Each structure stands twice: as C-alpha cells, then as structure tokens.
Amino acid sequence: MNILPAVDILEGRAVRLAKGRYDAVTVYNEDPVLQAQLFEEAGAQWLHVVDLDGAKSGNPDNSEVVRAILKATNLKVEVGGGVRTRDAIERLLDAGATRVVLGTALVRDPDFAQASIEHYGEALAAGIDAKEGEVAVAGWCEGSGKAATEVASAMAALGYRHLIYTDIARDGMQTGIDPVAYKAMAEAFGYPVIASGGVASLQDIEALKELGDLIEGVIAGRAIYEGAFSVADAIACARSTYDVDATVLSDEMKPLYADGQEA
C-alpha cells in the first residue's frame, strides 16, 4: 500500500483546503517544489499533486510548478486539477508525470474520458470526489447529480484501473476516515482504490490496511504537515503487514515542513 503525501497548489503555494472550501485555506509552504523535495527526503516515493487553481478554472494553471517539481525530484507523481483536454494530458506526461488524474471530465465529457483511457491506458486515473455520496465537479464547487459508486463502476467499464476517491466532508479536517466508504467504492470499481480525505492518525492507515487489496494507496496532507505522524512512520505502518500491488488482485476483485499560516 503506497503512501502519497499531498501537495495542493493554489496561487503558486502549497496549501490545504478545509472540506474543499477555497475560503478556508492554510498555507504550508510558499514553495511547492521545496515541499516536494522535503517529502522525498523524508522517504516518500510517490507524490499526489493537485492544481487547485486549475480544478476551478478548467485549465492546468500551475503546470509550470508541476514541471518544476518533476524536474527537481525523482518522485513518482500523480497530478490532477483542470485536466480536461488531450493537450493538458500530453503536457503533464511529457513533463514526467507518472499518472494524470481526470476528474470533472469524467462526468461532463464521458466521450473524452473514454477516448483518453483508450489512448493513454495506465497513465490515467479517475479522480472521484464526493459529498455525501454525490460526485462534485469544478473544483468541488458544483454537484453532478451522480452517485460516486455509479461513476466508479462506469469508469471501470471504460477501462480505468486506478481511482482516487476523496471524501470531501473529511478532506483537510483530520477527522478520521470512513473505511466503509472506501470498501464500497472499491467494490463498485472492481479494482483497488486510492483513499483520500480525513486521514488523521496512523490508526486510519491501519484501518485502510485492514481492507487488504481493496486499497492501492493512501493520500495524506494536513496530518503530515501538522505533525500527527511523519512520512516515514506512515510508510512503515503501511508496509508492516501488507505490501499491496495494484496489479495483483484477489479472486473477488477481478471484474520537516514550513509552519502553517492562514491565507
């Protein structure tokens, strides 16, 4: 099970939002590239990057910052936010991203979602962010009217094999995770999912680890930034029992840091 520290970029800074609210921002580092380097020095192998400006505008506004992160580190990076065109995908993959995450486009442009997975395959991931089970789009600012499990199943049918599920109500709140929700998403998707939203302690990582091969990875942000646990401790916890490989499925699954300041 992979641990993916999060770098969310807003106006060129590394931040976290509370419940996806753009008016509830905490700045953790003025330099996202430095933050990525700190995570790498702490032992991270993966990084989860979100272009928050891009998620809201529909354009990858911080693509140059993402490119700088990829140039300055050897991390495997999955990145999303405003990726709604083939050109955006190409730019991020050409910059060195390991995986590009599609979010809003999955719901608003299913033809694009299908054509993209057919062309790029494992280099893409589906990003499903939900409030009370309903998928949110446009930087979490709008509801879609679609159930998260419904979209997950549809993405699996199109050929997606990686999925990041974010529980928006818990994201950035350190309230703890809901293992039942991630289990339901993995079962709807038919493949392991990456869990995001609300991770507050190593106990949350333990709880996800107990789901075994339903979970491919865990994204952690505020809990790491604010010292609830370290990157090294999270990695050790994730590896203590399971070493999940997303390409190996069970029979049932076959179908440190800068001081924070308020913005």
Side-chain angles (χ1 to χ4, degrees):
M1 186 168 74
N2 296 314
I3 298 296
L4 300 88
V7 172
D8 292 357
I9 306 170
L10 183 67
E11 298 177 351
R13 303 178 294 179
V15 310
R16 293 296 283 172
L17 306 183
K19 297 185 179 181
R21 289 171 49 199
Y22 282 73
D23 62 349
V25 181
T26 301
V27 179
Y28 286 105
N29 202 318
E30 293 289 337
D31 186 351
V33 178
L34 174 59
Q35 187 60 63
Q37 291 174 318
L38 290 170
F39 282 144
E40 184 175 35
E41 290 170 7
Q45 295 181 336
W46 276 90
L47 187 69
H48 180 77
V49 177
V50 179
D51 181 345
L52 292 173
D53 297 293
K56 196 172 183 179
S57 71
N59 299 297
D61 298 320
N62 290 295
S63 58
E64 289 307 310
V65 179
V66 175
R67 182 178 292 274
I69 289 173
L70 290 160
K71 185 175 181 180
T73 71
N74 293 311
L75 293 164
K76 296 178 182 178
V77 176
E78 67 174 24
V79 56
V83 183
R84 299 172 197 174
T85 66
R86 185 162 178 169
D87 178 66
I89 296 172
E90 293 281 358
R91 276 186 285 153
L92 292 169
L93 292 178
D94 287 347
T98 301
R99 192 180 296 155
V100 175
V101 183
L102 302 188
T104 296
L106 302 178
V107 173
R108 289 190 168 171
D109 194 347
D111 290 340
F112 171 72
Q114 180 173 2
S116 297
I117 194 63
E118 289 175 354
H119 185 79
Y120 297 103
E122 293 281 331
L124 294 187
I128 297 179
D129 312 321
K131 293 180 180 179
E132 298 180 354
E134 179 188 355
V135 176
V137 296
W140 300 355
C141 297
E142 302 173 20
S144 68
K146 293 184 177 296
T149 51
E150 174 190 344
V151 176
S153 179
M155 292 307 105
L158 290 182
Y160 285 82
R161 295 297 177 261
H162 300 285
L163 186 151
I164 299 97
Y165 176 61
T166 302
D167 185 343
I168 296 174
R170 296 170 184 264
D171 191 66
M173 300 304 294
Q174 285 186 266
T175 53
I177 56 96
D178 178 7
V180 174
Y182 295 108
K183 182 176 184 292
M185 285 296 291
E187 290 175 344
F189 187 52
Y191 298 89
V193 302
I194 297 173
S196 173
V199 174
S201 67
L202 293 178
Q203 285 70 32
D204 289 320
I205 295 175
E206 288 281 357
L208 289 167
K209 188 173 63 179
E210 289 176 3
L211 296 178
D213 59 4
L214 296 177
I215 304 298
E216 177 182 353
V218 182
I219 295 169
R222 190 180 294 269
I224 294 176
Y225 286 114
E226 299 190 353
F229 54 79
S230 69
V231 172
D233 286 343
I235 292 172
C237 179
R239 292 178 176 174
S240 62
T241 302
Y242 297 103
D243 186 7
V244 178
D245 181 346
T247 65
V248 180
L249 305 174
S250 69
D251 289 341
E252 295 178 353
M253 293 294 293
K254 284 184 179 178
L256 38 202
Y257 311 113
D259 292 335
Q261 60 180 358
E262 296 298 324

